[in-house]
Structures are given as C-alpha cells and as structure tokens.
Amino acid sequence: MEEIRVEANGNVGPIDSSQIPRYAGAATYARLPRLDQVESADIKIVGVPFDTGVSYRPGARFGATHVREASRLLRPYNPALDVSPFENVQVADVGDMAVNPFNIDEAIATIQRNALELTADGASLMTIGGDHTIALPLLRAAAERAGQPVALLHFDAHLDTWDTYFGADYTHGTPFRRAVEEGIVDTGAISHVGTRGPLYGKKDLDDDERMGFGIITSSDIFRRGVDEVVATLRQRVGDRPLYVSVDIDVLDPAHAPGTGTPEAGGMTSRELLEIIRGLRGLDLVGADVVEVSPAYDHAELTGVAASHVCYDLITLMADLRASRA
C-alpha cells in the first residue's frame, strides 16, 4: 500500500488519515515514518521489549507494540500546547531494541549502548518500555550526553529505590537507587510524583529522603492541585537538563489497568497530562514511558493513556527544539 503522508517544513509526518484509514497500514508510533524512511530525525521513538526485571505481573515486553497500536488515533496538532510537533521537527520511529531476555546485566548494557548510538547525532530519545529496569541505562546515557548528572522527575505509584530483590541489584524496583549511587542524577533536583500505597516500612521513606528525593504523592496532587504541583516541580528542576520517567501505574487502575503492579488511589489521565504540559520550556533531554502490560488492559485504556503521555512528551521536546532553532 502506498503511504500518503503529511509533510510540512521539510519534515515527513504521519500517514494522512484522510486518505488511508487509521486502522490500516503499519503500526509505527502515531503512524510516523520509520527512521529508514527519512534522512535523519530530531526525535527518535524506540521500543524496549524487556520485562525480566518485574517482581509481580509480567507482560511489559509487549508494551511498546501495544502503545504503538493505541497511538493510531493521535493527530498532528496538539491544541493543549498549540504545537504541531511533527511539523516543527522530524520525528521517526526507530523500531525496537533487541535485548537479551535472560540476562539482565547484558540487557542493561545493550540498552545503554543503543541509547548512546541513537543520540550520537544530537537526537532526543522517547523510549517506550518495557519494565522500569530500563530507566537506569537510559539515565546513564542521558547523563553522558548531557555531560553532567541530570534532574529527574519520576512519575510512579512506587519509589523504585529499594536496594535489592531476592539479592538482585538490578530490577524494576531498584533503578533510581542505583542512579543515585552512580552519581548520574542531580540529587538537588530529583522527585517522585504520584506515589501511594503501602510500603515495606518507614525506612523506605527515610532512605528516599537521605538520597535527596522530593516526594509528591497522589494525595498531594488531589489536595494541592495541578498548578501548585507544577510550580513546585519547576522550581526544583530549574534550568538543569531533565529526564522524565513515567511508570504508567502512576495512574489509577481505573485509567490504566494494564500494568504489572497496580495500586488504588492514583492520578487521573487528565492530571498526569496537565502536569507534563506544565513542564514546557524545561530542558527535557529524554523520557520514557514504561510498565504497560497489555494482557491486563481493557479496551486499550492503558495503551491509549500511554500513547498520549508519549505524545505530550514528544511535543515538549519538539517545542524546545523549535525554540532553539
């Protein structure tokens, strides 16, 4: 089938849905071109089908494919931010990383190496997981590219700063402790957002405070409101290079049932999107959306939510690049 695409400002955009139905054709993210269909890309979207680090329900290895399918309905203009991201810069889907599903250490090394290769030309990287283990090698690559530790906004129901699981240092519950230990995040500008639910003990919170994390719980968002939360986050990040990591379980299971470790009492999709939009203008150097497990999804609720979160993060990256052009 001939791919009739929207093109503007020399950038190749998504397949024209007025000419080819949304449910037809290859399911790249937002029906964007593959990297081999364009000369280069300013923003690259990559999947990481890896979930060997999960501690409860598996299936996030199929998350990137599911999010791509759910993204078919996305349109080229983002009215919430008054930005046409695919017109402003070239965005392309680079496909999936091939990572070892049986060896976590090797998988982490592969992800880090691939992330560095994909950003060697100055491109920004939007990663779709996969479980949250993948955030560690992505942060390593982001810090190396930035030439300094990066600020981190971690949207999640959970802290993901535990020391080990069953003696394992690298799991989806440990990446941000390792990141602090390795010095790749700026401990004056790291925050958890949307956390909730039971913990193993108060020591979990004490450890987080010692590491430098600020915490905005889902209850804080409900009581303080989006605008106040955004102001707090912007002040904490400042002008530092920023990495955003979104575990889709930050949303309430009513909005994102398709995930491995659901917790009641989470954010709505609207709250999450509004907070992300409030980060406009910050130096966003990379982002991931992880822990989409399609086997537990219903009516693509989780996939749709994740695809929109990716869309707004891509819009922020595109807007930032256009403002610097």
Side-chain angles (χ1 to χ4, degrees), residues 29 74 78-81 85 126 269-270 272-278 280 284 305-319:
Y29 179 82
L74 293 172
N78 188 333
L81 292 165
M126 177 70 241
S269 300
R270 180 174 58 248
L272 177 57
L273 293 173
E274 287 297 327
I275 292 173
I276 288 172
R277 291 164 185 164
R280 185 176 193 172
L284 183 60
S307 73
H308 280 262
V309 172
C310 291
Y311 180 65
D312 275 358
L313 288 166
I314 290 166
T315 301
L316 294 184
M317 293 179 185
D319 182 61

Side-chain angles (χ1 to χ4, degrees), residues 244-295:
V244 173
S245 185
V246 181
D247 185 327
I248 204 63
D249 74 19
V250 74
L251 297 178
D252 190 89
H255 299 268
T259 192
T261 47
E263 303 280 358
M267 274 196 275
T268 67
S269 300
R270 180 174 58 248
E271 287 171 329
L272 177 57
L273 293 173
E274 287 297 327
I275 292 173
I276 288 172
R277 291 164 185 164
L279 306 178
R280 185 176 193 172
L282 297 183
D283 187 14
L284 183 60
V285 297
D288 64 62
V289 175
V290 300
E291 299 286 355
V292 174
S293 186

Side-chain angles (χ1 to χ4, degrees), residues 8-309:
N9 301 323
N11 297 313
V12 181
I15 292 173
D16 187 346
S17 296
S18 68
Q19 301 292 320
I20 300 175
R22 297 182 183 280
Y23 44 80
T28 56
Y29 179 82
R31 309 183 85 201
L32 287 162
R34 303 187 311 271
L35 185 60
D36 62 359
Q37 294 176 306
V38 296
E39 292 185 5
S40 62
D42 302 294
I43 300 172
K44 297 173 182 176
I45 303 161
V46 65
V48 182
F50 175 86
D51 65 0
T52 307
V54 299
S55 58
Y56 196 52
R57 303 193 306 201
R61 67 183 59 186
F62 303 110
T65 299
H66 188 63
V67 172
R68 287 187 178 105
E69 282 289 347
S71 74
R72 287 179 177 271
L73 195 57
L74 293 172
R75 300 176 180 88
Y77 173 64
N78 188 333
L81 292 165
D82 188 24
V83 174
S84 296
F86 311 140
E87 292 184 14
N88 287 354
V89 299
Q90 183 62 65
V91 188
D93 191 327
V94 304
D96 290 342
M97 297 185 188
V99 295
N100 189 329
F102 302 110
N103 187 315
I104 289 181
D105 291 340
E106 182 181 326
I108 288 173
T110 299
I111 295 164
Q112 182 178 350
R113 182 176 65 252
N114 287 350
L116 286 169
E117 291 171 353
L118 288 169
T119 55
D121 58 358
S124 299
L125 198 62
M126 177 70 241
T127 307
I128 310 173
D131 76 53
H132 225 153
T133 310
I134 73 171
L136 178 61
L138 294 171
L139 278 167
R140 288 174 178 171
E144 182 171 337
R145 287 284 172 233
Q148 65 184 86
V150 296
L152 169 68
L153 293 182
H154 167 223
F155 293 82
D156 202 321
H158 311 95
L159 301 173
D160 288 4
T161 51
W162 287 279
D163 192 10
T164 63
Y165 273 120
F166 294 90
D169 294 324
Y170 300 102
T171 75
H172 76 158
T174 65
F176 302 112
R177 180 182 287 252
R178 300 288 92 83
V180 170
E181 292 170 347
E182 293 178 16
I184 56 177
V185 291
D186 185 333
T187 54
I190 54 178
S191 293
H192 303 300
V193 186
T195 53
R196 62 191 187 276
L199 298 171
Y200 293 109
K202 189 175 184 300
K203 183 178 181 297
D204 295 340
L205 297 175
D206 293 339
D207 284 352
D208 257 42
E209 183 178 0
R210 177 179 53 79
M211 285 184 273
F213 279 96
I215 298 180
I216 296 176
T217 67
S218 60
S219 296
D220 292 332
I221 295 166
F222 170 71
R223 297 183 185 284
R224 295 169 57 187
V226 166
D227 291 344
E228 185 178 330
V229 167
V230 166
T232 299
L233 296 176
R234 292 185 68 93
Q235 182 178 21
R236 189 163 177 81
V237 171
D239 60 358
R240 300 169 176 88
L242 169 66
Y243 190 92
V244 173
S245 185
V246 181
D247 185 327
I248 204 63
D249 74 19
V250 74
L251 297 178
D252 190 89
H255 299 268
T259 192
T261 47
E263 303 280 358
M267 274 196 275
T268 67
S269 300
R270 180 174 58 248
E271 287 171 329
L272 177 57
L273 293 173
E274 287 297 327
I275 292 173
I276 288 172
R277 291 164 185 164
L279 306 178
R280 185 176 193 172
L282 297 183
D283 187 14
L284 183 60
V285 297
D288 64 62
V289 175
V290 300
E291 299 286 355
V292 174
S293 186
Y296 303 99
D297 206 4
H298 309 291
E300 287 188 305
L301 288 176
T302 315
V304 169
S307 73
H308 280 262
V309 172

